[in-house]
Amino acid sequence: SEKLYTASPGLVNGLQARTFGVWTLLSSVIRCLCAIDIRNRTLYYITLFTFFLALVHFLSEVFIYHTAALTIGVMAPLMVASFSILGMLIGLQYLEVEALSQNKKKN
């Protein structure tokens, strides 16, 4: 939290830092599970949503609440979330094509 919320560090307390840590841990577990079972569509959408949440969170902290500045500590998660969303949206097309081809094989 010290590297992220540099614009207003007085607004961040220990409880918020721990909550953010647990949220980060939970999203990383979801992302690892998706990597293991990439063809699970529900898990894929949940993982994609975690990246959207991260992007919205960091953008709102910078541009709405002004608690974070555009430093490397904020730019790194913004870039990871943005590129991951882009990659997952591209990958979603292949997931759709694979599902259609499996349905054709069954028929």
Side-chain angles (χ1 to χ4, degrees), residues 20-64:
F20 183 74
V22 170
W23 173 69
T24 303
L25 180 64
L26 176 62
S27 62
S28 66
V29 168
I30 291 170
R31 293 167 188 172
C32 287
L33 290 172
C34 183
I36 292 169
D37 187 11
I38 195 78
R39 290 180 178 88
N40 184 333
R41 295 172 54 89
T42 304
L43 191 55
Y44 196 91
Y45 285 120
I46 291 170
T47 304
L48 182 60
F49 186 68
T50 66
F51 286 114
F52 275 116
L53 278 176
L55 185 66
V56 168
H57 169 74
F58 287 110
L59 288 175
S60 68
E61 293 298 329
V62 172
F63 295 111
I64 297 173

Side-chain angles (χ1 to χ4, degrees), residues 4-7 61-62 66-75:
L4 293 175
Y5 305 104
T6 56
E61 293 298 329
V62 172
H66 305 289
T67 56
L70 283 176
T71 61
I72 190 67
V74 173
M75 291 298 293

